[in-house]
Amino acid sequence: MPAQPTKESAQAMKDLHIEIEDGEGNMYSFLEVMEQMRDGFAGLTDAQKAQYAAMLAGKTGMSGLLAIVNASEADFQKLCTSIDNSNGAAQRMADT
């Protein structure tokens, strides 16, 4: 079943050229979507970034989203590496 964003988030995704599925309905990876998001937010004013972040992640999640899109390239790559190396972390915590 294809993803069905809300009307507001769909508009933000359209405006920022963010896609979560390819033409065949396959989901892009988290990293691919975050890279699209960072590209889409580049060049926006702080007010525009806040508006789009709220549209995409809601009032609660917007600060986390802004932290990702505003991060330096080095910090973003550290985050990506941490995510890539987190395989099995949830299971280890559950086992604890």
Side-chain angles (χ1 to χ4, degrees), residues 41 46 49-54 61-71:
F41 275 76
D46 288 343
K49 287 179 182 180
Q51 176 187 358
Y52 281 117
M62 70 182 274
S63 61
L65 179 58
L66 286 171
I68 292 171
V69 299
N70 288 327

Side-chain angles (χ1 to χ4, degrees), residues 3-82:
Q4 297 179 338
T6 66
K7 185 176 179 180
E8 187 175 65
S9 62
Q11 184 61 52
M13 291 170 62
K14 180 180 176 188
D15 292 350
L16 299 171
H17 308 286
I18 299 167
E19 296 181 353
I20 57 173
E21 297 176 341
D22 66 18
E24 297 177 8
N26 300 308
M27 296 289 288
Y28 286 115
S29 70
F30 177 72
L31 175 60
E32 291 169 320
V33 174
M34 288 296 102
E35 288 173 337
Q36 289 180 48
M37 213 169 284
R38 285 172 56 85
D39 289 343
F41 275 76
L44 297 179
T45 66
D46 288 343
Q48 289 170 319
K49 287 179 182 180
Q51 176 187 358
Y52 281 117
M55 291 169 73
L56 291 167
K59 298 283 185 194
T60 305
M62 70 182 274
S63 61
L65 179 58
L66 286 171
I68 292 171
V69 299
N70 288 327
S72 69
E73 185 61 28
D75 287 342
F76 180 67
Q77 290 306 318
K78 283 184 203 174
L79 173 65
C80 293
T81 300
S82 294

